[in-house]
Amino acid sequence: MNLSAISSIILATVRMCVPVLLIALAELYSERAGMVNIGLEGLAAIGALAGFMLTYTTGSTWVGILAGAAAGILVNMIYAFATVSLCANHTVYGMAINLLAPALASFIYRVAFGNGSSLMQVELMRGIGIPGLKDIPFLGPLLFDQTPMVYLTFALVIFTSVFFNRSKAGLNYKSVGEHPKAAATLGINVTGTKYLSCVICGALAGIGGAYLTTCYSTTYTEGIVSGRGFIALAAVIFGRWTGGGVLLACLFFGLCDALQIRLQVSSLGVPYQFFQMIPYVATVVVLAIAGSKKAGPKANGKPYRKEER
Amino acid sequence: MEEMLRMEHISKRFGSFYANKDVNLTVNRGEVLTILGENGAGKSTLMNILIGLYQPTEGKIFFKGKEERIDSPSQAVKLGIGMVHQHFMLVEAMTVFENIILGDKRSKGVFIDREARRREILELSERYGLDVELDKLITEIAVGAQQRVEILKALYHGAELLILDEPSAALTDIEAEGLFAIMHKLVDEGKSIIFISHKMREVLHISDRITILRAGEVVTTVKCSETDGQKLANLMIGRELSSSQYEKKQAGGQPVLKLDGVRYHEQSKHNGLAGITMEVRPGEIVGIAGVDGNGQTQLAQVITGVIAPEKGTLSLKGKQVSVFDPSDFIENNVSHVPEDRNLQGLVGDMSISDNLVLKATGSGRFSKGRGLLLRPKAIRSHALELAGEYDIRCTSVDQDVRSLSGGNQQKVILARELESGPELLVAVHPTRGLDIGATRFVHDQMIEARDKGVGILLISADFDEILEMSDRILVIFEGQIMGEYSGQNPPIQEISLAMTGK
Amino acid sequence: MEKLKRSLTGFLVPVLSILLAFVIGAIIMACLGANPFAAMAALFQGAFGTVASVGTTLNRASPLIFTALCACFAYKCGVFNLGGEGQFLIGATAAFCAVHLSGAKGIGGILLALLVGIAAGGLWGMIPGILKITRGLNEMIISIMLNYVATLFMGVIYTSWIRDANTPQTPSVDDTLKLSRVIPGMRFTWALIIALGVGLLLYYFLYWTSPGFKLRAVGLNMTASRFNGFPVNRYILMSFLISGAIAGLGGASDLLGTQFRLINGYGSGYGFDGVAMALIGQLHPIATIIVAIFFAALRVGATSMQVATGVPTSVSDIIQALVIVFSVAGMALTKLPEFEAFRLRVSGKKEKEGK
């Protein structure tokens, strides 16, 4: 394999990694407050639609991104209310979101654009080279000539690490996921933090979806998220609930995706579906190797009742 | 004397049940007020009101002379009320340092200024003699140290009134002495302490005044110097305790259970077994005395087949066991009243009648064709019968066990375990959290089973229970048996010393 | 009395959720400018209006019943098998390959297809089970990943290995293999009868046998089950195996009953729909079947509704999603202590008034 092939794989890896990374960070913030949300796939779907529609109507990808965040938050508030206030089972309710959000997305799309076969298209967000750095040979175009969303996402990883490891707010936030009752006795607002985590989760998962329709694909199709929400769940486990770990896990999944596409076009006479399986099979294999026994926040997925007797 | 806290006419209702009713109490600066009461007397509810976890249904709270509404824990912390809970409120995945500064609102800035915070904590720790290792994880330090972290945490958050909820329950005598020294120091420095306990000796040793709570109401408040243990016990229980010394027996015959050099996770002092050798004969109660967390959990789990020992042998009725699986032990007529009844003993979302036949659905009595067709009628009438016999108070046997009180849940387990015709019964903290009536009932049932020839291993951290029930007493400390004593006139001093490892 | 009260809440919550979902559905229709009453009428007319439409509804329900029972059985044992879709497709794919490659015909071929479907679905379902027991992995993620793999594998079959000339689909199964209709004039086939049979069998197993009783206990409290001597891991594995086998049987019988060939998009969404139905049916096999038929009706009716009033069919998906959103929240609500206190207060008042 020559240098240009390698650089194109790296480029694709970064591009593929970003949406999963955004969604995985959403889950990281959620689970750190003890909220297991498997509704990511749905949140990303509604985010993708909102991102597409607003980009299409306003012509601005940034408005699209914000719309994705807003849609994600809105839908995730249903999850938040049911799980935090009504103490519904997190997993079951996440499934409900996975059913509701895509149905809502496809309904809105049909109402807005009809059943017409003509595909609506948007112009994608343009890359911005960082002056100076992008001129570094080989690495420059790979790392410093991307869309702003890529930079922002990677900056978010750094922010997340600092937040959870160095800040007081981050420490308090984590305690909600570990031992909510202890947190409450110290005057930390447990319910508030849990709701906040759902806002963050909804926003990031929505942005992750919107990324797909503003920076990745010019059209919206049903099933555009194609399992990224679930892969993100795996990435959080594999990344051991830390910002850096999640980044590495997502880069790995991004690499699998990039290889998969690369192999597909190389047409080795093997049915292309086998290559498409790579990311999914890799997820299973990686999890099987890493194992996930007794890890993660202690009170993850458990309901919190204030006046419990 | 300056008044620190006054609670006036406090009531707290859950549904139609009053956990506290018209409670009045005061705490002065620089004194230890003990709140004495049985389990379920409403001590914890009252304290939870004080720290803002619960809202009182009625009543007023005055702190330092001003009326305050404590509507959240942060309000309580701000006022200067701190509590050390019986079950520590420590985040295990974090370090001691992180636990102490958690929820810190005093220091400015977004980031944690480790150096400055450390200095503050160390200063406090020196002042009150609270030794802690700041960089250790909570899971790496002993129970006594965890308690010091809790106290330090409360002080760090500016507590002037400190609530200690049964602080000595999990401590060795030595550790408890250390705790009392710390309490003296705190009081001397002008802090006030509310001390919750039902260990008479401690209460008389440390308190200035004692408020007695019974069934959610204040019975009276007395000065410590003007009372004694007998008077307090009578006030607390509200009736004369007919001392029920059961007759002690000496059993012979082939042991139903024999352990020889059993080892499990030996290096872990608090959760391991370091070579246990012991036996239980039919018709005797062997009591395992010891402070919580000295391997009792593991001992019970080895003897019921939940975990397998790493070394050593275990024999049931003279036959050495090779496979450690609960089902094999159950087949050998080993019954188990487990430590955590909700987690390990019962299926909370199943009915009382289902829980009573949990292990027996395959038997001919409750199903046809070895479990191919259940007999609901037989299951139900069995439940009705046992509910009567074991005094399980419920509206219907179809009710979920989850909705029963702790005492009645324990009776369900006891009924199931004793009705299966055991030869060996392993009972772990069988009366923990139960009121006096239910405790008495459980004890009577166990004695009755013993008299029928069941060998019983009683594991309990309640020393009084051990003394009352056991025909033989073994003391466990850090996974080892420290000594064996007769249940007849046992040497109490010697045993309590053995429990601390001497 | 106690039992009655419980089954009453168990019944009321889904019914109220369905009503509420329909009210919101009606509001959406009104917002789209359609007359919600006319639209609803068209929907019910389309689903149950004629003997033929009832037949269509039941036929549509058949595969859904299988995946719903698949989810139901696994949940009863406390594991979240979200892989119903993959197990369904692997069952269909394996059944197709078996009859296509062996050339078996007639009743023997049918039996072969069904058995191969059961085996393939069961084995596919075992994978997350084995990984859960041995490696402690989250069964949800694994089973979902396997859905994608199964879908792609089916793609390999119909695009490359057993392709029907130019179109990306397989040839149809032999006519002698097709399951016949049970009642002439109604579209549903013996696949539905198999589905109903499986449902009854599950009901019997879960509520009337000792292993079923123990399986439910494992599902409700694994630790207590272990302490009480139940082989917990064996039950978990069994629940994956059987629930996968049910889905696989569903795939095979749907292939022979309705679908006849493998094609792009086949089975898409069946798995999650099944999960939804099992949850709304409160994990009771019989209730789950009823819910599945109800949702099939919604879908069949939606087409007539679209033709008559122009309301897009996807409204029915939203209604379905809302039912699950409401019913799960509703069940959680009824378990809150505050709700219990409220109920006591209301019933207490009634008692007083009665006196």
Side-chain angles (χ1 to χ4, degrees):
Chain A
M1 214 181 274
N2 55 23
L3 207 63
S4 82
I6 292 173
S7 83
S8 83
I9 285 180
I10 294 176
L11 206 65
T13 300
V14 173
R15 227 166 66 96
M16 295 293 181
C17 151
V18 170
V20 182
L21 182 54
L22 278 164
I23 303 171
L25 286 172
E27 184 69 10
L28 178 64
Y29 278 94
S30 196
E31 292 198 13
R32 272 294 175 197
M35 307 293 294
V36 175
N37 191 340
I38 67 160
L40 298 168
E41 186 83 3
L43 295 175
I46 198 84
L49 176 84
F52 175 76
M53 281 181 66
L54 267 285
T55 307
Y56 184 77
T57 44
T58 64
S60 159
T61 47
W62 288 107
V63 176
I65 296 280
L66 288 179
I73 294 172
L74 224 56
V75 172
N76 209 30
M77 282 303 101
I78 304 174
Y79 165 86
F81 178 73
T83 51
V84 180
S85 298
L86 299 181
C87 300
N89 180 310
H90 290 189
T91 311
V92 169
Y93 224 82
M95 269 314 290
I97 296 297
N98 274 339
L99 289 160
L100 176 69
L104 214 57
S106 89
F107 174 73
I108 294 172
Y109 183 82
R110 295 224 180 119
V111 170
F113 299 103
N115 270 332
S117 53
S118 66
L119 278 176
M120 306 296 153
Q121 296 214 337
V122 293
E123 200 175 320
L124 294 183
M125 191 181 284
R126 272 198 215 99
I128 296 178
I130 295 179
L133 291 177
K134 76 166 176 177
D135 300 325
I136 301 171
F138 187 65
L139 279 180
L142 294 184
L143 303 178
F144 301 107
D145 197 11
Q146 304 272 4
T147 61
M149 279 309 291
V150 175
Y151 304 134
L152 284 176
T153 306
F154 285 96
L156 184 63
V157 175
I158 297 168
F159 172 83
T160 305
S161 278
V162 173
F163 175 72
F164 283 128
N165 292 323
R166 295 262 173 269
S167 79
K168 281 190 280 182
L171 192 65
N172 293 350
Y173 190 110
K174 275 198 291 190
S175 72
V176 171
E178 295 282 351
H179 195 333
K181 207 148 188 186
T185 59
L186 292 168
I188 295 166
N189 185 345
V190 173
T191 309
T193 306
K194 282 180 177 284
Y195 267 99
L196 174 69
S197 80
C198 290
V199 170
I200 299 173
C201 173
L204 290 180
I207 292 174
Y211 177 89
L212 294 172
T213 47
T214 54
C215 306
Y216 185 86
S217 155
T218 54
T219 58
Y220 171 83
T221 47
E222 262 176 54
I224 189 168
V225 187
S226 65
R228 286 188 177 83
F230 298 115
I231 290 182
L233 276 174
V236 173
I237 297 171
F238 187 39
R240 286 283 178 265
W241 289 268
T242 64
V246 166
L247 172 67
L248 288 179
C250 290
L251 280 172
F252 172 76
F253 291 131
L255 178 67
C256 289
D257 234 348
L259 279 178
Q260 176 260 116
I261 290 175
R262 183 88 197 158
L263 289 170
Q264 259 190 64
V265 293
S266 72
S267 71
L268 298 164
V270 180
Y272 65 90
Q273 287 96 340
F274 281 118
F275 299 121
Q276 287 184 331
M277 287 178 196
I278 290 175
Y280 308 115
V281 174
T283 306
V284 173
V285 171
V286 153
L287 282 180
I289 291 167
S292 67
K293 263 180 188 159
K294 291 200 184 101
K298 255 207 146 160
N300 217 354
K302 295 195 182 125
Y304 170 73
R305 281 178 191 156
K306 208 168 159 204
E307 287 204 3
E308 197 170 20
R309 286 221 71 202
Chain B
M1 217 188 292
E2 194 193 339
E3 179 186 283
M4 179 82 90
L5 169 82
R6 189 165 83 244
M7 296 178 93
E8 279 186 358
H9 307 295
I10 297 287
S11 294
K12 174 67 188 175
R13 210 180 55 202
F14 291 101
S16 57
F17 167 74
Y18 275 94
N20 288 131
K21 203 167 181 185
D22 198 27
V23 171
N24 292 294
L25 65 83
T26 56
V27 185
N28 296 319
R29 185 175 284 281
E31 78 163 351
V32 177
L33 175 83
T34 292
I35 297 183
L36 192 62
E38 286 193 84
N39 286 318
K43 293 170 295 187
S44 299
T45 310
L46 192 64
M47 292 305 110
N48 280 331
I49 288 172
L50 201 50
I51 59 163
L53 275 180
Y54 292 173
Q55 295 309 304
T57 319
E58 281 161 53
K60 290 177 180 166
I61 298 172
F62 295 85
F63 194 75
K64 293 188 192 164
K66 245 177 69 192
E67 186 178 344
E68 302 281 358
R69 229 174 75 87
I70 308 177
D71 49 10
S72 69
S74 56
Q75 179 66 16
V77 172
K78 214 156 91 191
L79 288 174
I81 301 173
M83 177 157 175
V84 175
H85 293 258
Q86 190 184 351
H87 303 287
F88 297 148
M89 294 289 178
L90 295 171
V91 181
E92 290 187 347
M94 293 185 183
T95 63
V96 169
F97 173 75
E98 287 172 326
N99 267 284
I100 292 174
I101 60 161
L102 203 55
D104 183 11
K105 291 204 175 61
R106 297 183 309 156
S107 62
K108 295 232 156 50
V110 174
F111 297 103
I112 302 165
D113 183 349
R114 285 178 185 265
E115 284 315 305
R117 299 290 86 75
R118 281 183 93 93
R119 245 180 287 123
E120 287 170 13
I121 295 170
L122 288 176
E123 194 182 304
L124 272 176
S125 116
E126 263 164 46
R127 185 154 150 214
Y128 295 103
L130 292 157
D131 270 355
V132 291
E133 293 171 278
L134 287 182
D135 296 319
K136 285 257 164 84
L137 284 175
I138 295 297
T139 43
E140 295 168 343
I141 61 176
V143 179
Q146 292 181 2
Q147 188 166 57
R148 290 196 293 275
V149 174
E150 280 279 37
I151 296 174
L152 198 51
K153 186 169 83 174
L155 293 173
Y156 179 81
H157 285 272
E160 289 186 72
L161 172 64
L162 206 60
I163 303 163
L164 303 177
D165 188 2
E166 307 219 6
S168 62
L171 301 187
T172 63
D173 280 5
I174 307 292
E175 282 176 321
E177 279 308 320
L179 172 69
F180 296 144
I182 291 165
M183 285 171 71
H184 277 303
K185 201 135 187 193
L186 287 165
V187 175
D188 288 345
E189 296 262 342
K191 310 270 183 196
S192 304
I193 293 175
I194 295 181
F195 180 59
I196 296 174
S197 176
H198 50 234
K199 290 189 182 168
M200 223 50 90
R201 200 165 45 90
E202 285 175 16
V203 169
L204 290 167
H205 176 64
I206 195 84
S207 318
D208 293 306
R209 289 183 306 136
I210 300 160
T211 293
I212 294 136
L213 223 55
R214 191 199 312 147
E217 297 182 61
V218 172
V219 180
T220 182
T221 300
V222 294
K223 277 213 173 104
C224 187
S225 51
E226 295 165 3
T227 187
D228 60 46
Q230 193 57 50
K231 276 188 204 157
L232 286 177
N234 291 344
L235 284 168
M236 179 164 92
I237 294 154
R239 58 194 142 88
E240 290 288 318
L241 243 189
S242 57
S243 69
S244 77
Q245 273 299 330
Y246 297 107
E247 192 197 337
K248 305 282 181 175
K249 294 201 167 165
Q250 257 188 330
Q254 194 203 23
V256 278
L257 170 75
K258 201 167 168 4
L259 267 65
D260 197 359
V262 165
R263 290 164 196 272
Y264 177 84
H265 285 208
E266 205 173 334
Q267 63 290 351
S268 160
K269 284 182 177 171
H270 296 284
N271 304 301
L273 301 173
I276 300 256
T277 300
M278 59 172 283
E279 54 184 43
V280 178
R281 285 185 283 268
E284 70 167 348
I285 297 181
V286 176
I288 302 282
V291 177
D292 256 352
N294 274 297
Q296 291 99 323
T297 303
Q298 289 66 31
L299 180 63
Q301 296 195 356
V302 165
I303 298 175
T304 52
V306 177
I307 54 178
E310 285 151 7
K311 281 194 192 123
T313 60
L314 185 152
S315 313
L316 293 172
K317 291 175 281 178
K319 261 197 289 183
Q320 194 180 321
V321 174
S322 53
V323 180
F324 282 80
D325 186 310
S327 63
D328 293 325
F329 282 69
I330 291 165
E331 263 168 41
N332 273 305
N333 298 325
V334 177
S335 276
H336 187 192
V337 176
E339 190 172 0
D340 185 332
R341 49 180 164 266
N342 281 309
L343 184 69
Q344 301 162 341
L346 297 168
V347 181
D349 291 316
M350 281 185 146
S351 66
I352 297 171
S353 45
D354 284 350
N355 272 283
L356 284 169
V357 294
L358 204 57
K359 291 179 236 196
T361 49
S363 74
R365 183 173 170 197
F366 300 118
S367 64
K368 292 176 200 160
R370 306 193 56 157
L372 281 182
L373 189 64
L374 296 177
R375 303 171 191 257
K377 272 192 193 138
I379 292 173
R380 202 181 140 84
S381 68
H382 171 76
L384 287 172
E385 196 181 298
L386 289 189
E389 200 177 313
Y390 284 84
D391 190 32
I392 300 165
R393 305 208 183 132
C394 54
T395 50
S396 150
V397 289
D398 297 324
Q399 194 180 337
D400 282 350
V401 217
R402 187 179 297 290
S403 61
L404 293 179
S405 71
N408 283 308
Q409 289 179 339
Q410 195 72 324
K411 287 178 196 166
V412 171
I413 295 182
L414 202 65
R416 180 182 72 211
E417 297 302 324
L418 289 179
E419 286 305 303
S420 62
E423 290 176 74
L424 173 69
L425 173 72
V426 180
V428 191
H429 309 308
T431 59
R432 183 170 273 181
L434 267 54
D435 64 22
I436 288 200
T439 299
R440 188 63 183 271
F441 185 86
V442 169
H443 285 170
D444 286 348
Q445 291 296 329
M446 285 170 65
I447 293 290
E448 202 185 309
R450 175 197 70 179
D451 292 345
K452 279 188 206 152
V454 180
I456 296 178
L457 184 72
L458 169 66
I459 298 177
S460 175
D462 181 348
F463 193 28
D464 292 335
E465 179 172 46
I466 294 281
L467 292 176
E468 176 149 323
M469 300 288 295
S470 314
D471 301 315
R472 273 195 301 137
I473 299 170
L474 300 178
V475 178
I476 191 168
F477 177 77
E478 295 190 346
Q480 286 177 305
I481 299 292
M482 302 301 287
E484 181 177 333
Y485 308 89
S486 160
Q488 195 91 45
N489 304 320
I492 294 173
Q493 291 292 329
E494 207 178 313
I495 297 178
S496 29
L497 212 59
M499 281 161 63
T500 63
K502 284 186 188 149
Chain C
M1 179 59 203
E2 193 64 33
K3 256 185 186 166
L4 191 79
K5 211 168 68 193
R6 227 184 316 166
S7 45
L8 197 69
T9 19
F11 177 72
L12 267 181
V13 169
V15 169
L16 283 179
S17 308
I18 289 172
L19 284 179
L20 199 57
F22 268 97
V23 169
I24 294 183
I27 294 172
I28 294 174
M29 291 170 191
C31 290
L32 293 176
N35 178 349
F37 297 103
M40 291 287 179
L43 196 146
F44 282 101
Q45 185 70 24
F48 296 117
T50 62
V51 175
S53 60
V54 173
T56 310
T57 297
L58 290 177
N59 193 44
R60 194 68 175 273
S62 309
L64 296 175
I65 294 175
F66 281 109
T67 52
L69 289 174
C70 155
C72 169
F73 189 77
Y75 282 20
K76 268 287 178 208
C77 192
V79 290
F80 287 80
N81 178 5
L82 299 182
E85 186 170 320
Q87 291 142 18
F88 182 93
L89 289 180
I90 281 292
T93 307
F96 179 83
C97 294
V99 290
H100 184 83
L101 297 177
S102 72
K105 295 207 168 43
I107 197 83
I110 292 176
L111 284 179
L112 173 73
L114 296 183
L115 287 176
V116 167
I118 291 173
L123 290 177
W124 200 247
M126 288 274 273
I127 300 173
I130 291 170
L131 287 173
K132 183 183 175 71
I133 290 170
T134 56
R135 303 290 303 157
L137 294 194
N138 183 326
E139 72 273 21
M140 294 182 285
I141 298 176
I142 304 296
S143 57
I144 288 170
M145 291 301 122
L146 292 178
N147 284 347
Y148 291 101
V149 175
T151 309
L152 289 167
F153 183 71
M154 178 177 76
V156 172
I157 303 291
Y158 69 72
T159 53
S160 310
W161 289 355
I162 312 179
R163 186 175 172 137
D164 189 14
N166 287 327
T167 35
Q169 62 180 42
T170 61
S172 168
V173 293
D174 191 83
D175 278 345
T176 61
L177 291 170
K178 292 179 180 171
L179 296 177
S180 58
R181 294 183 182 180
V182 183
I183 302 168
M186 292 176 94
R187 275 188 61 187
F188 71 88
T189 66
W190 284 97
L192 177 76
I193 307 301
I194 298 174
L196 296 179
V198 170
L200 285 175
L201 207 62
L202 286 194
Y203 170 72
Y204 156 76
F205 175 76
L206 287 171
Y207 293 95
W208 290 93
T209 71
S210 174
F213 175 93
K214 289 179 180 167
L215 184 131
R216 282 187 292 135
V218 170
L220 293 168
N221 186 342
M222 283 188 195
T223 310
S225 299
R226 197 160 68 89
F227 273 68
N228 281 295
F230 305 169
V232 171
N233 281 349
R234 216 181 305 158
Y235 273 108
I236 290 178
L237 214 53
M238 178 178 92
S239 77
F240 273 111
L241 176 72
I242 293 183
S243 84
I246 294 169
L249 173 63
S253 52
D254 190 56
L255 178 85
L256 302 185
T258 322
Q259 191 68 28
F260 307 137
R261 63 177 89 234
L262 302 176
I263 190 168
N264 183 28
Y266 177 41
S268 165
Y270 280 7
F272 283 6
D273 286 341
V275 172
M277 289 158 199
L279 289 173
I280 296 167
Q282 320 230 328
L283 306 188
H284 192 292
I286 306 294
T288 299
I289 290 178
I290 296 170
V291 173
I293 293 175
F294 173 77
F295 280 120
L298 208 57
R299 281 167 202 195
V300 172
T303 319
S304 326
M305 180 182 72
Q306 185 171 24
V307 174
T309 60
V311 175
T313 51
S314 44
V315 168
S316 73
D317 292 337
I318 293 194
I319 293 178
Q320 177 188 326
L322 285 174
V323 174
I324 170 117
V325 165
F326 290 140
S327 68
V328 176
M331 279 323 284
L333 178 72
T334 57
K335 288 209 179 100
L336 284 186
E338 288 87 348
F339 180 84
E340 186 63 13
F342 173 77
R343 200 179 59 82
L344 283 175
R345 217 166 54 224
V346 172
S347 63
K349 259 185 205 157
K350 267 187 200 154
E351 268 168 37
K352 266 181 207 155
E353 280 162 9
K355 282 170 197 167

